[in-house]
């Protein structure tokens, strides 16, 4: 699992990102756009920078704020393992925040892609 997490952590340093990201919340929200910017399906980019359109076919990285301003929820529905997704989210927070990485955990480890469900839901705790 740690190898997959380390690989996921390397992705944000090597991927294309949307411009003008000013906060860690914007960065985490932009993971889905960056994901589509860096993937092709049948040779075609899955993000159109002129229209902002994302094409389906590879899943998504979700983003939702909660009542607690330091807690976010991300529903990840994509073909990658959980630890890989967690590494991407952690490294994205570290890349775009002076406060460093976040803590991230499954909302419910029994409702996980490892057990055949379509998505994993993560609780992301930002640093104060």
């Amino acid at each position: 699992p740690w190898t997959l997490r380390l690989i996921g952590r390397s992705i944000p340093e090597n991927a294309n990102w949307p411009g003008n990201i000013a906060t860690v919340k914007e960065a985490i929200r932009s993971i889905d756009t960056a994901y589509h910017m860096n993937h092709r399906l049948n040779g075609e980019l899955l993000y159109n920078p002129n229209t902002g359109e994302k094409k389906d076919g590879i899943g998504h990285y979700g983003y939702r704020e909660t009542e607690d301003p330091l807690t976010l929820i991300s529903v990840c529905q994509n073909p990658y393992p959980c630890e890989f997704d967690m590494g991407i989210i952690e490294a994205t927070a570290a890349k775009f925040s002076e406060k460093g990485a976040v803590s991230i955990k499954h909302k419910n480890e029994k409702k996980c892609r490892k057990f055949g469900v379509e998505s994993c839901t993560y609780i992301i705790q930002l640093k104060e």
Side-chain angles (χ1 to χ4, degrees):
W2 280 107
T3 301
L4 287 171
R5 201 150 184 161
L6 289 173
I7 293 168
R9 286 180 182 170
S10 71
I11 299 300
E13 289 302 320
N14 299 301
N16 294 320
W17 285 89
N20 301 322
I21 296 173
T23 68
V24 68
K25 286 183 179 182
E26 289 174 4
I28 293 172
R29 185 174 51 238
S30 74
I31 291 172
D32 190 60
T33 299
Y35 176 55
H36 284 79
M37 287 173 70
N38 289 279
H39 280 78
R40 293 177 182 270
L41 188 62
N42 300 322
E44 187 176 343
L45 272 176
L46 297 177
Y47 178 75
N48 182 330
N50 298 321
T51 65
E53 176 190 2
K54 297 177 206 169
K55 295 189 178 186
D56 287 328
I58 60 169
H60 292 278
Y61 283 83
Y63 173 90
R64 180 169 48 94
E65 293 190 32
T66 67
E67 291 180 18
D68 177 353
L70 295 176
T71 303
L72 305 172
I73 302 292
S74 182
V75 177
C76 295
Q77 188 259 328
N78 61 57
Y80 296 110
C82 305
E83 292 297 330
F84 184 82
D85 285 342
M86 289 177 171
I88 288 173
I89 293 167
E90 288 171 341
T92 299
K95 177 179 176 72
F96 292 100
S97 170
E98 294 177 7
K99 297 175 184 176
V102 298
S103 82
I104 179 171
K105 64 181 181 178
H106 275 96
K107 183 175 181 184
N108 181 341
E109 289 196 32
K110 300 285 187 206
K111 292 185 178 179
C112 173
R113 289 173 288 188
K114 288 185 256 187
F115 300 111
V117 299
E118 289 186 7
S119 63
C120 288
T121 301
Y122 304 110
I123 299 171
I124 304 162
Q125 191 66 46
L126 304 176
K127 289 191 174 187
E128 290 188 53

